[in-house]
């Protein structure tokens, strides 16, 4: 199988050019053709000599991801299911955000995956129930963006690492992909238009703060006590809340970018006045905002005793909780759930297309 050229690191490509007696500028010509101009075959790169194009064609491929299924929701969001070369599946979701005063789209966000499946296993997440297949390569991270732009004939404005997988547990490939996406030479995205959402890997958050162009950070917090996080988000066992909050503070001090806390409200579980108090304390530690997210029902998969206890909060409960945060001076935004008619829960489309390791209830 040919290696995808997007996975060849800069230094390695430079060495290949040296070994072929090519001038040093060839490396950047190739990278610009692929990342900036999104060429999909070496034959399309007109400023390379023919013998070099032939060599690259023999040794490398440019695209390895394939769109398998596209589902369009009535709300305008579009879910893409991609197949990887080894047959594993991943998902991305395109979300258009409309201007309040007009019908025009003001930003176009793609939520992308960093793993096939996920190794973390949060109780509320369909992807977690898939188990871990593998980490995505740099090429597979980038091609979700490139293929969606090509398919929709659009230019995305924002990227969120909030699809399948915990991005900070695929650290090297995710950071390499971010380096390319934010490289001024390729004119793709400013680092402020990219958000990395993590369930909370404290040591990697600190490491991310030291990269060349750190991006916006979102923490999938959801619970404000170690007891509940340990039970429902097992990553908390190795990164307890105290360590996570220390890492967030370091990240903010280093990047000066406000933090987003994602908070899925579960009725009767994390919606008490005590939760409000603890969340206010957390949110005040550095400049931040809280996104309250409705729970995507995952009753289509086999339930554990824990996941059976996760109940969808009503709109009124969500509003009450959000109002209490606002009364305490916390910026709180209630997020709509995109694509409820197209199997929107992260991992849901993959589950229904594979029907593999997890028993699926029929969806009416
Ligand atoms: S919520 Fe994120 S980290 Fe948790 S299982 Fe799902 S994909 Fe993995």
């Amino acid at each position: 199988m040919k290696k995808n050229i997007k996975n060849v690191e800069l230094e390695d490509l430079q060495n290949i050019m040296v070994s072929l007696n090519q001038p040093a500028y060839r490396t950047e010509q190739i990278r610009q053709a692929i990342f900036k101009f999104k060429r999909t075959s070496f034959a399309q790169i007109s400023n390379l000599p023919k013998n070099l194009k032939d060599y690259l064609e023999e040794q490398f491929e440019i695209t390895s991801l394939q769109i398998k299924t596209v589902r369009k929701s009535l709300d305008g969001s579009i879910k893409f299911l991609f197949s990887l070369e080894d047959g594993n599946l991943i998902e991305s979701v395109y979300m258009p955000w409309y201007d309040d005063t007009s019908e025009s789209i003001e930003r176009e966000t793609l939520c992308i995956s960093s793993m096939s499946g996920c190794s973390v296993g949060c109780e509320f997440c369909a992807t977690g129930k898939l188990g871990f297949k593998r980490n995505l390569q740099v090429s597979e991270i980038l091609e979700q963006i490139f293929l969606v732009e090509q398919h929709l004939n659009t230019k995305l404005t924002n990227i969120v690492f909030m699809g399948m997988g915990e991005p900070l547990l695929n650290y090297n490939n995710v950071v390499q992909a971010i380096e390319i996406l934010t490289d001024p030479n390729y004119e793709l995205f400013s680092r402020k238009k990219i958000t990395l959402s993590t369930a909370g890997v404290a040591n990697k958050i600190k490491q991310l703060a030291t990269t060349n162009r750190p991006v916006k950070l979102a923490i999938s917090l959801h619970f404000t006590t170690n007891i509940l996080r340990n039970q429902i988000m097992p990553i908390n066992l190795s990164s307890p809340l105290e360590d996570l909050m220390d890492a967030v503070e370091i990240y903010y001090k280093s990047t000066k970018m406000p933090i987003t806390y994602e908070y899925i409200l579960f009725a009767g579980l994390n919606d008490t006045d005590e939760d409000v108090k603890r969340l206010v304390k957390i949110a005040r530690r550095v400049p931040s905002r809280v996104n309250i997210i409705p729970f995507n029902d995952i009753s289509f998969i086999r339930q554990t005793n824990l996941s059976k206890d996760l109940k969808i909060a009503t709109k009124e409960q969500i509003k009450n909780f959000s109002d209490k945060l606002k009364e305490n001076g916390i910026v709180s935004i209630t997020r709509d759930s995109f694509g409820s008619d197209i199997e929107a829960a992260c991992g849901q489309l993959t589950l229904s297309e594979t029907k593999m390791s997890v028993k699926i209830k029929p969806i009416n």
Side-chain angles (χ1 to χ4, degrees):
M1 195 186 292
K2 288 185 194 174
K3 182 168 183 167
N4 190 307
I5 195 150
K6 296 189 184 90
N7 297 324
V8 180
E9 289 190 36
L10 176 62
E11 202 179 318
D12 294 335
L13 192 56
Q14 286 166 336
N15 289 337
I16 292 170
M17 291 304 118
V18 170
S19 72
L20 295 172
N21 290 322
Q22 291 290 329
Y25 60 78
R26 291 283 184 233
T27 302
E28 208 38 53
Q29 276 184 327
I30 294 168
R31 283 171 64 92
Q32 282 219 353
I34 288 160
F35 299 132
K36 181 176 178 182
F37 300 111
K38 299 172 187 157
R39 300 287 182 245
T40 51
S41 84
F42 293 104
Q44 295 170 347
I45 310 176
S46 56
N47 53 0
L48 296 183
K50 179 161 185 328
N51 60 345
L52 179 57
K53 285 196 260 195
D54 291 345
Y55 171 84
L56 294 170
E57 200 78 61
E58 265 169 37
Q59 301 294 320
F60 300 104
E61 63 181 10
I62 299 185
T63 304
S64 48
L65 214 58
Q66 281 194 338
I67 296 177
K68 185 172 158 67
T69 306
V70 180
R71 295 247 181 112
K72 191 160 186 188
S73 164
L74 292 174
D75 62 23
S77 64
I78 303 174
K79 189 151 195 172
F80 291 83
L81 185 72
F82 297 97
S83 54
L84 310 180
E85 280 185 323
D86 57 9
N88 281 312
L89 299 172
I90 57 168
E91 298 173 5
S92 308
V93 183
Y94 165 85
M95 295 170 286
W97 301 83
Y98 290 90
D99 192 316
D100 279 346
T101 54
S102 75
E103 289 294 291
S104 61
I105 296 176
E106 72 176 7
R107 61 183 203 274
E108 296 176 74
T109 301
L110 191 70
C111 172
I112 61 173
S113 295
S114 56
M115 293 176 174
S116 177
C118 184
S119 53
V120 175
C122 301
E123 286 290 339
F124 51 81
C125 174
T127 300
K129 302 289 176 190
L130 274 167
F132 177 61
K133 304 301 169 195
R134 68 170 172 82
N135 282 333
L136 298 192
Q137 298 175 314
V138 175
S139 58
E140 292 161 336
I141 296 169
L142 296 175
E143 284 170 21
Q144 295 169 66
I145 299 165
F146 294 179
L147 288 180
V148 166
E149 285 189 337
Q150 188 187 42
H151 185 87
L152 300 178
N153 191 23
T154 195
K155 172 77 186 82
L156 296 164
T157 58
N158 296 66
I159 299 298
V160 290
F161 283 84
M162 207 186 280
M164 299 171 98
E166 166 51 59
L168 294 184
L169 294 181
N170 182 13
Y171 185 84
N172 289 344
N173 290 347
V174 165
V175 167
Q176 266 191 62
I178 289 173
E179 290 274 324
I180 291 165
L181 290 171
T182 57
D183 188 327
N185 284 335
Y186 311 138
E187 297 173 16
L188 295 170
F189 298 92
S190 112
R191 68 192 182 94
K192 292 184 177 161
K193 300 286 182 184
I194 297 178
T195 302
L196 185 147
S197 174
T198 174
V201 189
N203 61 337
K204 295 294 179 190
I205 291 173
K206 289 188 239 173
Q207 203 179 334
L208 191 68
T210 65
T211 54
N212 286 338
R213 292 180 290 273
V215 294
K216 285 165 85 174
L217 185 68
I219 305 291
S220 294
L221 186 69
H222 310 317
F223 304 96
T224 53
T225 65
N226 281 323
I227 294 172
L228 274 180
R229 273 180 67 88
N230 284 347
Q231 286 176 21
I232 297 169
M233 302 177 71
I235 203 153
N236 198 70
L237 294 163
S238 52
S239 272
L241 273 169
E242 300 74 21
D243 294 359
L244 178 57
M245 290 308 117
D246 287 348
V248 165
E249 192 168 328
I250 288 168
Y251 197 84
Y252 174 75
K253 282 184 177 158
S254 164
T255 65
K256 296 286 178 286
M257 285 196 285
I259 305 295
T260 299
Y261 292 105
E262 311 283 357
Y263 199 90
I264 302 177
L265 201 69
F266 299 100
L269 190 64
N270 62 353
D271 59 351
T272 65
D273 286 347
E274 288 307 305
D275 288 301
V276 172
K277 264 191 212 161
R278 286 188 293 261
L279 186 49
V280 167
K281 194 171 168 203
I282 287 171
R284 279 188 182 154
R285 194 155 157 177
V286 297
S288 66
R289 71 173 196 202
V290 177
N291 281 352
I292 303 181
I293 309 171
F295 176 40
N296 266 318
D297 180 27
I298 56 163
S299 58
F300 54 89
I301 53 176
R302 184 160 41 208
Q303 300 283 288
T304 62
N305 283 339
L306 271 172
S307 55
K308 272 186 208 153
D309 283 343
L310 302 176
K311 303 272 185 289
I312 298 174
T314 62
K315 280 193 173 155
E316 199 186 348
Q317 287 168 322
I318 290 177
K319 186 177 177 313
N320 282 342
F321 193 82
S322 175
D323 286 348
K324 285 179 191 167
L325 291 176
K326 286 176 188 160
E327 281 161 20
N328 283 279
I330 305 298
V331 179
S332 160
I333 294 166
T334 303
R335 285 267 173 252
D336 286 335
S337 188
F338 270 109
S340 50
D341 52 336
I342 55 163
E343 300 185 289
C346 176
Q348 189 174 357
L349 186 54
T350 305
L351 278 167
S352 76
E353 293 250 346
T354 55
K355 298 185 173 52
M356 15 177 257
S357 54
V358 182
K359 184 180 165 198
I360 300 181
K361 281 188 187 175
I363 299 166
N364 297 322

